[in-house]
Amino acid sequence: MKVQMRNRGDRIRQTIGFEVIGFLLFVPLAHWAFGFSVHQLGVLAVTMSLIAAVWNYVYNLSFDHLLARWKQRVKKNTLERILHAFGFEGGLLFVSLPLVAWWLNIGLWEAFIMDLGFATFYLVYAFVYNWAYDKVFPLPGWKTA
C-alpha cells in the first residue's frame, strides 16, 4: 500500500512558515530572558534558522518515511508528535551548542543552559506548529481531529 506524503512545495511552505513565525517569537523572548542585544540574538537566530530550515526539511522527510515504512501512514498520533519534536530539537541542539557559545562569547556550560531554554521553547513551538499545520493543510482524505 502506497502512503500519501506531502509534496516538496508543501514541505517548503511548512519549513518557511515554521522558521519565520519562530524567529518573530524567539528574538524578543530571548532578549527578555537572557539580556543579550536584539542584534546579537537576531543574527544568531537567522543563522540557526538557516541551519534549522535544512534540518527541518531533512528531518520531517526522514521521519515521515520511517513512519510510512513502520506504520503505513504519515499522520502522527500524540506520542509520535512528541517523539518527532524531541528528535528534531535533540539533533538541532547537537549542532547549535558550539555556535551559541562562540557567537555570544560564553562558555559551553552557559551556552548549554541557554540552548536548553531555546530547545524548550522550540520543542513546544514545534509540537504546536506542526499540529496546527496539519490542521490547516491536511493531506487529502485526512479527517481533522
Side-chain angles (χ1 to χ4, degrees):
M1 173 173 133
K2 179 139 172 86
V3 175
Q4 182 181 12
M5 296 185 59
R6 295 190 178 281
N7 63 37
R8 179 173 287 140
D10 192 22
R11 289 189 185 283
I12 291 170
R13 175 180 58 199
Q14 180 183 21
T15 300
I16 290 171
F18 181 89
E19 295 306 325
V20 168
I21 294 168
F23 177 84
L24 293 173
L25 294 171
F26 171 79
V27 172
L29 286 171
H31 170 68
W32 173 79
F34 299 110
F36 288 97
S37 76
V38 170
H39 176 263
Q40 280 180 299
L41 293 168
V43 171
L44 181 62
V46 168
T47 303
M48 289 304 302
S49 184
L50 293 172
I51 293 167
V54 172
W55 175 237
N56 188 318
Y57 183 87
V58 170
Y59 181 78
N60 283 322
L61 182 62
S62 301
F63 194 94
D64 283 355
H65 276 288
L66 286 172
L67 198 57
R69 178 176 291 206
W70 290 341
K71 303 280 186 159
Q72 286 70 53
R73 61 177 167 72
V74 294
K75 188 174 183 180
K76 298 167 198 72
N77 63 35
T78 301
L79 177 61
E80 291 159 348
R81 287 187 181 285
I82 291 168
L83 292 172
H84 176 266
F86 270 96
F88 177 82
E89 289 308 321
L92 197 56
L93 180 67
F94 179 76
V95 172
S96 65
L97 185 62
L99 178 63
V100 169
W102 172 76
W103 180 250
L104 296 177
N105 196 28
I106 58 178
L108 285 175
W109 179 250
E110 189 177 358
F112 178 71
I113 298 302
M114 287 183 70
D115 234 349
L116 284 179
F118 299 164
T120 300
F121 166 79
Y122 273 101
L123 180 65
V124 172
Y125 171 64
F127 179 87
V128 172
Y129 177 87
N130 286 300
W131 174 79
Y133 188 88
D134 286 346
K135 294 288 188 186
V136 174
F137 302 105
L139 286 172
W142 277 9
K143 293 179 184 173
T144 54

